[in-house]
Amino acid sequence: MNKDVVFIEKINLSDKDKEVIREFLISIFEDDGKLFKNMIKEKKARIIDNSFTFIDHDLFNRTYKIMGNCIGPVLYVYDIIYNK
């Protein structure tokens, strides 16, 4: 399934940063979500009560808070958590 990424209004990033995040998130769900399933096993992605999914982006040391459980065609990025 092709995914699209939408950032909620409170997220203020440059277009370049949004594109990097968009490419990262879309790549996770290619090939029938194989990478996403692997990230779940490694605890680098966590689904919390079907309300939010947290996906770690180790390269940039941040975590994306996605609304829902990522089964639909659109990923809504609700928040970005900068890890220390």
Side-chain angles (χ1 to χ4, degrees):
M1 171 189 299
N2 291 335
K3 296 276 191 188
D4 190 17
V5 177
V6 174
F7 297 88
I8 66 159
E9 293 178 16
K10 75 174 187 175
I11 295 178
N12 188 13
L13 295 171
S14 70
D15 289 341
K16 183 178 178 183
D17 283 343
K18 286 182 180 181
E19 189 57 33
V20 168
I21 294 168
R22 186 174 281 114
E23 287 176 9
F24 171 72
L25 291 174
I26 290 172
S27 72
I28 291 172
F29 294 95
E30 292 176 342
D31 196 21
D32 200 28
K34 188 182 290 187
L35 182 56
F36 180 68
K37 293 171 188 172
N38 191 45
M39 290 178 79
I40 293 277
K41 288 178 187 174
E42 294 176 354
K43 299 191 186 315
K44 293 185 180 221
R46 297 157 307 282
I47 298 173
I48 310 297
D49 297 328
N50 290 330
S51 298
F52 292 101
T53 301
F54 292 85
I55 299 175
D56 297 335
H57 193 174
D58 292 337
L59 182 62
F60 291 104
N61 203 28
R62 54 191 173 193
T63 300
Y64 305 118
K65 184 178 182 181
I66 310 297
M67 294 177 69
N69 57 9
C70 300
I71 60 171
V74 180
L75 300 173
Y76 292 95
V77 179
Y78 182 79
D79 201 3
I80 298 172
I81 302 160
Y82 296 90
N83 305 319
K84 295 182 181 183

